[in-house]
Amino acid sequence: MKKIIKNILYSLIIGLNITLNSCNGYLDDVPKGQKIPETLADFEALLRNEYNCHRVDITQANLLLNDRYPSSSNLNYYPLWKANYMWDEAADRVKLNNSDETTYYASYASISTCNLIIEHAPTATNTTENERNTLIAQARVLRAMNYFNLVNYYADTYEATTAATKLAVPVISSADINAPSKQVTIKELYDYILKELSESVPNLPEKPATILHPGLATAYAFYARVYLQMSDYTNALKYAEEALKLNNKLYDWVAYYESNKSQILNPISYTATSSPYNYTYVENYNYRHGSSNNASTETNIPVSRAERFEDGDARFAARWKVRTVGTDTYYAGTTNGYFNYGGLTTTEMYLIKAECLARKNDLTGSMDALNAVRKTRILPAKYQDLTATSITDAVKKIWRTKENELIFSIVPFADARRLNLDSNYARTFTKTVNGTTYTLSPTSHLWTMPFPMGAISNPGNGTITQNVDK
């Protein structure tokens, strides 16, 4: 047992080049990385380690959606980036993805940490049974969140008629470095995620220790996200409302805009304002960062992407400003700090509630939920309540706000894939670059990302079948 834990920690901390800055209190043995966790505090520190347990990098999904602006030099240097950003269906992305892609390896590193906690925290010392059960439940929620991201990245989207026959991703439920893995079906993986949640909820606190620790509201919010992806609107609505009972606060972006108006409206200044979308953001259920856990500037977006924001959107105006550098023109990020790209927020729950009510033909209730969000975003001079004339009209209006609100999270990508299954919402993306028109159809194979070649060549104690031809 101790040898297993030693090997896992060595692999996580040394092999993956991970630093446990928040864990210095118990990693004081020499050499670092090989101390055997024994107390609950030892295991809990592993869960708090952001870079290893809370990293959610979905770069290729952001590029495919054209939500992220890559410089011309990046497109020339990274052929996989160019293939996705330029919607090149002829490109062999399987061959282009020949390096250790962060999305895959960071997700499984987090899963491995969660497995270690789930397996070995039951024997942790200096604690009570309730405290052990709480930490284990929190690790299970995080593990499930990682699997949701993986299945919605490397496998086809959930469809009830095909989910039992299409492959998803490998499931590894043990921290043993020789643990077997099995590439399950999409249905099996969704069943696994729901089981993780159902068995975790009884042991989750309403007020967790930190924003990195999933609490009861986090589980309810994640339930809502999962059920919406399955098009189970009854359960998605149920859990969105349960989450909102515990936290229904919305951040006032109009007030933020007014407080920083002089800087925001200065056309020649790109001095960054402080990001409110951080650990203390009032909308947070939990916090997980994107590609970096260090303070940084907001990600840049293309000009064409900026055009999809609603006129008078204070949140947009406060975060991006048009800029030209050499041959590149884009909207530069103008906030600096920390960004909750990978967690769950109240805004997402309001918009899930809005869609579920629309699906039930409660158009008034649907628009009320949508407008509750918009009132804190749209400048008063531009604001008008939205109304809907049909279910389709309502869902399209909700989708527009949602993909803007949750940009850089997995949600816009997952939503687009889900809605592409319905001809009422399937959308063809189009852009013109240097006189050439490019399109991304709703049925394109590009919507499923290829496993990295390293994973296919070295699948560990199991096998992996590539889910896309190229």
Side-chain angles (χ1 to χ4, degrees), residues 186-218:
I186 295 171
K187 181 181 185 304
E188 286 174 324
L189 189 53
Y190 272 81
D191 288 345
Y192 177 86
I193 290 169
L194 292 174
K195 184 173 182 288
E196 290 283 270
L197 286 171
S198 67
E199 295 183 1
S200 299
V201 163
N203 294 308
L204 292 172
E206 285 193 21
K207 295 182 179 180
T210 75
I211 201 64
L212 300 177
H213 293 71
L216 189 59
T218 308

Side-chain angles (χ1 to χ4, degrees), residues 391-401 423-426:
I391 293 174
T392 302
D393 181 44
V395 172
K396 286 182 177 180
K397 287 173 176 173
I398 295 159
W399 188 13
R400 179 188 183 184
T401 294
S423 60
N424 289 314
Y425 310 108

Side-chain angles (χ1 to χ4, degrees), residues 219-296:
Y220 288 152
F222 184 47
Y223 253 135
R225 179 185 285 184
V226 174
Y227 276 123
L228 183 71
Q229 197 64 24
M230 298 173 72
S231 298
D232 183 341
Y233 305 116
T234 299
N235 275 314
L237 176 61
K238 170 187 171 182
Y239 285 106
E241 290 181 327
E242 288 298 319
L244 288 169
K245 287 178 185 177
L246 295 174
N247 180 14
N248 65 357
K249 295 177 183 177
L250 289 167
Y251 184 79
D252 190 346
W253 278 94
V254 173
Y256 179 89
Y257 175 91
E258 293 296 335
S259 297
N260 297 279
K261 192 173 182 178
S262 60
Q263 173 60 33
I264 291 168
L265 295 180
N266 186 336
I268 61 172
S269 175
Y270 294 91
T271 301
T273 54
S274 179
S275 165
Y277 194 43
N278 53 28
Y279 301 101
T280 60
Y281 194 55
V282 296
E283 298 186 5
N284 288 343
Y285 290 117
N286 73 309
Y287 180 96
R288 303 188 82 194
H289 61 79
S291 58
S292 172
N293 68 323
N294 299 314
S296 59

